[in-house]
Amino acid sequence: MKGAVAAKAPVRVEVEAGKTYFWCSCGKSANQPFCDGSHKGSEFSPQAWKAEESGAKFFCACKQTDGAPFCDGSHKAL
């Protein structure tokens, strides 16, 4: 099951090596692309991802990706 579309473009984030990020899978978070707890009471839960190295990553915001938590271009079909 896919979450609600939060945006129709990925979100570029400068990640830090060793830090864990919690990607919003429900699409309801006000802190896109990351979880703010808005999924509580639903079947969704955040997806943890740990950065192995620092740098830019493009996190999915449409929530339709098959490569979560990253953009796979699914937003182009919306």
Side-chain angles (χ1 to χ4, degrees), residues 2 7 15 51 60 73-74:
K2 308 279 183 168
V15 299
C60 173
S74 293

Side-chain angles (χ1 to χ4, degrees), residues 8-22:
K8 292 185 179 178
V11 178
R12 183 181 189 270
V13 177
E14 289 291 329
V15 299
E16 296 176 39
K19 184 175 177 182
T20 300
Y21 296 84
F22 293 89

Side-chain angles (χ1 to χ4, degrees), residues 11-63:
V11 178
R12 183 181 189 270
V13 177
E14 289 291 329
V15 299
E16 296 176 39
K19 184 175 177 182
T20 300
Y21 296 84
F22 293 89
W23 178 72
C24 166
S25 64
C26 74
K28 307 266 186 208
S29 174
N31 189 32
Q32 291 296 329
F34 303 116
C35 179
D36 70 358
S38 294
H39 65 277
K40 291 195 167 120
S42 76
E43 63 276 13
F44 292 96
S45 59
Q47 180 176 335
W49 175 78
K50 186 174 183 176
E52 293 181 8
E53 57 186 39
S54 296
K57 294 289 185 183
F58 290 86
F59 286 85
C60 173
C62 78
K63 312 306 172 184

